[in-house]
Amino acid sequence: MSSLTVAVIGRPNLRSFPAEVWIISVATFLIRSVGFLALYSTVFYTSIGLSASALSLALFAAGFAGVLGSLAGGWSATRFGSTDVLIAGAVLNVPLLFALALMSTNPASAIVLASFSVAVTQSFAGPAAALVTGSNYRGDTVTVVAFHRIFLSSGVTVAPIAVALVGEDNFSLLFFLSSLGSLSTAALLLRERPRLRAAEQRAATRKGSASPKEFDAHSPVGTGESRSPTARLWAIVVVFGIAMTVYAQSMSGTPLSVARLSDGTQLFSVLLIVNSLFIIAFELPLSFIIAKLRWNYALGFGISVTGVGLAVCGAGTSWTVCIFGFVLFSLGEAIFIPLASASIAKLSSSSENPRYQGYLSAAQSIGFAVGPGIGAFGVLHDGALYWALVVQISLAAGAVAVAAGMNKDRSPNRVG
């Protein structure tokens, strides 16, 4: 191993991240920083006068559209290339969001346009993850994923600030800004298309040759008999979907639970800030530790801690306890989300990676689609019992993640 490689792996160095990672990360930041539909869909649908039943239908349509978009993005990237799918999605979203800005007061048109836009936006996730995980970064895959997620989290932090400046009820202007953000993303990706396509070609020729054998989808693990690579991949997708369903309780169960405390609304805002700052500050440094661990143990630990942290916050009786619980929740998120994407990249071949990253994105969309409703129902009916179930489900999902990476000889597996 060269001294340059050691330097790259041993400490963060912004210059060590390849150009394609920077391009995709900036594009992700642009999309997320004007992602008002993703963050404020409930507020938007309520503002146009939807009834409770119509609101539930609209949110379900958006969630279902996100799942379809994730699957379509992964499959299309496998066939046409990740770069061209990203460009097509960014271009298509411009007229969709512009039309939504013009017809945001028409409920039927708004629901249809919003659902199509969610599908197109979600198609971005799989190809983007494939380009990042398939990049020429010399360090650990989980580290480059964590670096990419800094831009995602930063964009999610910018969007609420923009809403505060523009006005929460001025959705016509907000969606117009979203269309400009998508246009800017398309312009960036089109300008950098040759560089991104070249990166895709390099990833295809490498065929995972730099991956450890225990992660080679076509080689036995260690000296023992390996589980089917496909079974491992699907196990990660399934437990990730369960983990994201639990994660989605932060959007419903958590605000409902902390509402019973003094200044509960302000507390929930503080929790969101704590989460964003934790991810931005600590996810990248944590990735250097995670990459040295057995991937399945780290993934199981992250999933388990996420659920435990949410339950501690949800059952907490004070601001201090809730904030501590949300720090645990953020720690779990910082571990399991980048690790899931990195594990998929290492276990799959270069041609399979975009498709399975799309499956992973679809699992996330399913979790976000069903999780908030489950959380609201559970907390409103029996909060104590519900949070106990959240802990049990998270521990069970973590155990499945650990089992998915077990080898006959239990040789060490790293996400290198």
Side-chain angles (χ1 to χ4, degrees):
M1 185 179 291
S2 68
S3 59
L4 176 60
T5 302
V6 172
V8 169
I9 295 176
R11 66 183 180 213
N13 183 349
L14 296 182
R15 290 178 297 178
S16 69
F17 294 104
E20 62 268 25
V21 174
W22 280 98
I23 295 166
I24 297 302
S25 297
V26 172
T28 299
F29 172 79
L30 289 173
I31 287 179
R32 293 294 181 172
S33 61
V34 288
F36 309 116
L37 182 58
L39 294 176
Y40 292 93
S41 58
T42 302
V43 177
F44 166 59
Y45 286 137
T46 302
S47 72
I48 60 177
L50 294 186
S51 64
S53 58
L55 174 61
S56 299
L57 180 62
L59 292 174
F60 174 79
F64 185 68
V67 175
L68 293 180
S70 298
L71 294 174
W75 279 94
S76 299
T78 302
R79 182 171 182 180
F80 303 108
S82 296
T83 300
D84 290 340
V85 171
L86 294 181
I87 293 173
V91 170
L92 182 57
N93 233 350
V94 175
L96 284 172
L97 290 167
F98 186 75
L100 187 58
L102 296 178
M103 294 183 278
S104 60
T105 56
N106 185 310
S109 299
I111 292 172
V112 172
L113 289 169
S115 297
F116 273 110
S117 180
V118 168
V120 172
T121 301
Q122 273 305 114
S123 71
F124 195 95
L131 282 167
V132 170
T133 57
S135 70
N136 200 31
Y137 179 60
R138 290 189 175 188
D140 300 310
T141 306
V142 68
T143 297
V144 76
V145 176
F147 173 76
H148 169 69
R149 274 176 44 82
I150 291 176
F151 291 80
L152 186 153
S153 298
S154 299
V156 171
T157 304
V158 168
I161 298 174
V163 170
L165 294 174
V166 173
E168 191 174 280
D169 297 325
N170 195 354
F171 279 102
S172 293
L173 178 56
L174 291 174
F175 291 144
F176 177 70
L177 292 175
S178 291
S179 69
L180 290 181
S182 192
L183 181 62
S184 300
T185 304
L188 170 64
L189 294 174
L190 280 168
R191 188 186 69 182
E192 300 294 343
R193 183 178 182 273
R195 194 193 300 263
L196 293 175
R197 289 291 293 169
E200 280 191 81
Q201 293 299 321
R202 288 196 302 270
T205 55
R206 285 198 304 272
K207 294 183 180 179
S209 59
S211 302
K213 284 187 177 181
E214 59 266 23
F215 277 101
D216 191 340
H218 305 289
S219 300
V221 180
T223 59
E225 181 182 357
S226 173
R227 277 191 180 84
S228 163
T230 301
R232 290 178 186 270
L233 289 165
W234 278 109
I236 293 173
V237 171
V238 171
V239 296
F240 186 77
I242 295 171
M244 294 311 298
T245 302
V246 171
Y247 179 92
Q249 308 316 304
S250 63
M251 301 159 55
S252 61
T254 299
L256 288 172
S257 294
V258 302
R260 71 184 190 282
L261 302 178
S262 175
D263 296 324
T265 302
Q266 288 80 0
L267 172 57
F268 183 62
S269 297
V270 170
L271 295 177
L272 293 179
I273 294 172
V274 167
N275 177 253
S276 295
L277 292 179
F278 187 98
I279 296 301
I280 293 170
F282 296 111
E283 186 169 298
L284 183 59
L286 278 171
S287 71
F288 289 87
I289 300 174
I290 296 167
K292 309 307 175 187
L293 306 175
R294 299 185 182 187
W295 70 270
N296 54 324
Y297 288 169
L299 183 62
F301 176 77
I303 291 172
S304 300
V305 170
T306 298
V308 170
L310 273 180
V312 168
C313 180
T317 56
S318 68
W319 275 51
T320 302
V321 174
C322 287
I323 292 174
F324 172 73
F326 229 69
V327 169
L328 286 179
F329 163 77
S330 302
L331 172 63
E333 175 189 352
I335 294 172
F336 91 85
I337 292 184
L339 188 54
S341 184
S343 299
I344 288 288
K346 287 299 184 179
L347 285 165
S348 62
S349 66
S350 59
S351 60
E352 292 173 328
N353 187 31
R355 180 158 53 91
Y356 277 99
Q357 295 290 351
Y359 290 152
L360 201 67
S361 176
Q364 175 177 312
S365 297
I366 292 173
F368 282 149
V370 303
I374 294 173
F377 178 84
V379 170
L380 292 175
H381 283 75
D382 191 334
L385 174 61
Y386 177 72
W387 288 119
L389 288 173
V390 164
V391 172
Q392 294 175 35
I393 292 170
S394 299
L395 293 176
V400 173
V402 172
M406 284 293 188
N407 307 319
K408 186 176 180 180
D409 61 353
R410 300 197 177 191
S411 57
N413 297 336
R414 293 175 50 250
V415 188

